[in-house]
Amino acid sequence: MEYARGKLMVASFLTLVASGIGFATRTAAGGPWEREFNLGGGEFGAILGAGFLGFGLMIFFGGILVEKFGYKKLLTIAFLLHLVSAGMLFAANPLFAGWQETDPENATSNVFSVLFWSAFVFSICQGLYEAVINPLIAQLYPENKTHYLNILHAGWPAGMILGGIFAACFIGENAWITELPWQYGLASFSIVVIAYGVMALPEKFPETVGETAGSFATVFSCFASIPFLVLIVLHGLIGYMELGVDSWMTKLMENLLPNSIIILVYTSFLMFVLRFFAGPIVHRVNPIGLLLGSSVISCLGLLWLGSPIQSVAMIFVAATFYSFGKAFLWPTMLGVAGERYPQSGSVAMGALGAVGMICVGQIAGPRIGAQQGYELSQHLEESAPETYARYEGSEPTSSWGYEYTPLDAAKLNAANGIEVDSGTVETAAIEEAKLIPEEEKPALIANAATDVPAVQASYLFGGRRALTLTAYIPGMMAIGFLGLLIYFRSIGGYKVLRFDEELGKAVPIEGHGHGESESDVVDSEAATSF
């Protein structure tokens, strides 16, 4: 049966555009949330983490559900839940205003819960999308899975470009045009959601592997492969590095660029171009070799970004280098899963995506935030102890092995919002900050000339240190991919497989070796176990 695969490809692409817009605008919401709700860096990191937690859980279980119930039903559920997530954003401000009157002590924690669960519902939608679109595109384009999966995942950076530009223009105090209510920016993804819903939901979808294989247990056979378990671990590290760093990029680059969202837009643009035109690259290079090279470049790129660069031009050069490293990692890993485990359908891809997203939400986001907060506090306490005493928060924290007292979120946000020009420091941001106690403002204003530059310098130091500390992750990835490259050479080279329904197992596709010169015949045990 013929399917409108071009139309389904565009609709699948738009689901990632919507996810990218939501991701980019949420990363820019830290400032407005600090001002309006007094949310600190730890709470902001937790919300960012929630934006991946549901993704990780649902992409795996969604893969099983896809094999059981088909593509269309899950896509419809995701469509509806995405609109629910947008509605929760608009409810946050009125609810917070009511809580300030009836329960002021818990108003901040209550609104944090609303934002947390909105992000969680959003992430469930992302997980359902990934569970559907990855195996769908692999099934619609069996002759060139890795190429079309790279094109598909260009939708993610495309969404981040659109969301990043929108955020730069309309979200936060440094908005290029004007600052709009943050909820309009964060809910802008719903426009794309409606567009793909209108396009895709009326269409017919193909049957999944689970629906056609005869035995539902066949789709779980990938877990019997030791190399596949290695891929799962490596994909968790990819999620930590790529999306963990992207989650914090705008926060880590504050005070270094006129509007830190620019760096996210720029790196997203590079990823979009590289993924969209990845065909010639993935055809000429062994996928495992591409993953190995990308890991090495990513490691060096993070070390470069974490170095004490002062020139804006050099920041963008370093970001360009890093983008070349991370661009192909996620979709190429999904391509490897599709090419080596065709009998597992969406389950193999879902398992990789699940581990990657859970690692981002539960490890990378909170850990990178803890690293940045710890290094910031330690640097300020050592370099300017009097300033640290004025900006120190009231409660110590312990997170991921880091024990420290973070800076007061309202004071830190006010200091970061001040432009320091030739030693002149405007104090309006401190004076107008509603969440700074009035009795503490005179001391902050009187010492602003020395305090603000010190706070901004420490904030920048903390961000750079967080990037440097993250560089060991792609270093570990490089070691893992080198091991897989050696493994493939030991069994005759990397081969693309297809699922043969008559034989009930995966067999090699003749002439599809991604540049390898290996024999056309692959050991049958290797073909079915990896």
Side-chain angles (χ1 to χ4, degrees):
M1 181 177 181
E2 293 294 326
Y3 301 97
R5 68 177 189 172
K7 199 171 184 180
L8 293 177
M9 175 71 184
V10 173
S12 299
F13 181 87
L14 289 179
T15 65
L16 292 180
V17 172
S19 296
I21 291 175
F23 175 83
T25 52
R26 193 182 307 120
T27 60
W33 287 348
E34 287 173 352
R35 293 198 314 270
E36 295 184 26
F37 305 134
N38 199 28
L39 294 178
E43 292 165 315
F44 179 67
I47 293 172
L48 293 179
F52 293 105
L53 174 59
F55 195 159
L57 294 173
M58 190 51 65
I59 193 174
F60 176 68
F61 292 107
I64 298 174
L65 294 173
V66 163
E67 295 296 342
K68 190 68 176 177
F69 299 107
Y71 299 119
K72 191 169 185 177
K73 292 179 181 178
L74 267 68
L75 195 63
T76 302
I77 293 173
F79 172 80
L80 296 174
L81 287 178
H82 232 159
L83 299 181
V84 170
S85 175
M88 294 175 70
L89 296 174
F90 285 98
N93 278 93
L95 288 173
F96 182 70
W99 286 320
Q100 281 187 309
E101 294 182 2
T102 60
D103 189 13
E105 292 184 358
N106 295 312
T108 295
S109 62
N110 289 343
V111 79
F112 163 77
S113 297
V114 173
L115 297 173
F116 180 93
W117 289 110
S118 173
F120 183 76
V121 171
F122 184 95
S123 71
I124 287 178
C125 299
Q126 289 180 287
L128 289 173
Y129 293 147
E130 288 271 347
V132 169
I133 63 177
N134 289 324
L136 173 63
I137 297 306
Q139 193 171 342
L140 290 174
Y141 297 92
E143 73 282 0
N144 209 348
K145 295 179 183 180
T146 301
H147 172 52
Y148 281 98
L149 282 168
N150 268 281
I151 291 179
L152 172 66
H153 281 266
W156 172 259
M160 290 202 292
I161 293 169
L162 295 175
I165 292 174
F166 189 89
C169 291
F170 301 111
I171 298 179
E173 292 179 312
N174 296 322
W176 292 342
I177 299 177
T178 186
E179 183 177 8
L180 294 178
W182 60 267
Q183 54 267 44
Y184 287 95
L186 268 65
S188 58
F189 68 83
S190 58
I191 298 173
V192 182
V193 170
I194 294 172
Y196 84 71
V198 171
M199 178 179 294
L201 296 183
E203 293 296 323
K204 291 185 178 297
F205 287 73
E207 292 185 329
T208 67
V209 174
E211 292 174 313
T212 59
S215 172
F216 187 67
T218 302
V219 300
F220 296 99
S221 61
C222 57
F223 294 104
S225 166
I226 293 177
F228 180 72
L229 301 181
V230 175
L231 284 177
I232 287 180
V233 173
L234 291 173
H235 203 72
L237 296 178
I238 289 174
Y240 185 109
M241 184 207 71
E242 179 181 333
L243 297 178
V245 171
D246 283 349
S247 298
W248 279 94
M249 183 67 78
T250 56
K251 295 286 286 182
L252 299 180
M253 288 293 173
E254 281 184 6
N255 303 326
L256 196 58
L257 297 171
N259 191 323
S260 59
I261 198 71
I262 300 172
I263 196 73
L264 183 62
V265 172
Y266 176 69
T267 56
S268 298
F269 174 75
L270 291 177
M271 285 180 64
F272 171 78
V273 173
L274 290 169
R275 287 180 176 180
F276 202 85
F277 299 102
I281 298 175
V282 299
H283 274 299
R284 292 179 177 273
V285 181
N286 180 302
I288 307 300
L290 177 61
L291 292 166
L292 171 59
S294 296
S295 299
V296 173
I297 294 173
S298 297
C299 179
L300 297 175
L302 284 176
L303 290 173
W304 195 355
L305 282 171
S307 65
I309 307 173
Q310 295 298 329
S311 167
V312 172
M314 288 306 297
I315 292 172
F316 277 90
V317 172
T320 301
F321 189 79
Y322 170 64
S323 297
F324 272 88
K326 73 172 183 175
F328 301 117
L329 288 169
W330 191 282
T332 301
M333 283 288 281
L334 295 177
V336 170
E339 289 177 347
R340 297 298 299 183
Y341 301 96
Q343 78 280 6
S344 294
S346 62
V347 172
M349 294 182 180
L352 293 184
V355 171
M357 286 300 171
I358 290 174
C359 190
V360 175
Q362 298 305 297
I363 302 176
R367 181 173 172 79
I368 293 174
Q371 290 171 335
Q372 193 262 0
Y374 172 80
E375 297 291 346
L376 159 62
S377 296
Q378 291 295 108
H379 185 269
L380 186 62
E381 186 175 14
E382 294 173 2
S383 62
E386 294 182 358
T387 298
Y388 176 77
R390 284 186 284 270
Y391 279 77
E392 183 182 13
S394 59
E395 295 292 335
T397 186
S398 177
S399 178
W400 291 99
Y402 294 93
E403 296 183 3
Y404 64 103
T405 300
L407 301 190
D408 181 272
K411 297 175 184 178
L412 176 61
N413 182 65
N416 275 335
I418 296 174
E419 292 186 12
V420 179
D421 185 18
S422 302
T424 302
V425 176
E426 295 290 337
T427 59
I430 298 174
E431 296 171 359
E432 297 171 2
K434 298 179 181 179
L435 298 177
I436 297 178
E438 291 297 326
E439 64 272 14
E440 296 184 25
K441 288 182 179 180
L444 297 177
I445 293 171
N447 294 281
T450 56
D451 285 354
V452 171
V455 170
Q456 292 185 359
S458 294
Y459 191 93
L460 177 58
F461 177 85
R464 284 172 166 168
R465 281 291 296 160
L467 292 174
T468 301
L469 292 170
T470 305
Y472 75 88
I473 296 294
M476 295 170 61
M477 289 158 42
I479 295 173
F481 287 124
L482 178 61
L484 286 178
L485 192 63
I486 294 172
Y487 164 77
F488 273 114
R489 291 193 180 279
S490 72
I491 64 169
Y494 183 94
K495 265 288 185 178
V496 180
L497 308 180
R498 66 176 178 84
F499 181 71
D500 190 305
E501 294 182 19
E502 293 183 2
L503 296 176
K505 65 179 182 179
V507 297
I509 299 178
E510 301 298 328
H512 283 72
H514 288 284
E516 291 284 353
S517 59
E518 71 274 13
S519 168
D520 287 340
V521 179
V522 180
D523 178 80
S524 61
E525 181 179 352
T528 55
S529 66
F530 189 89

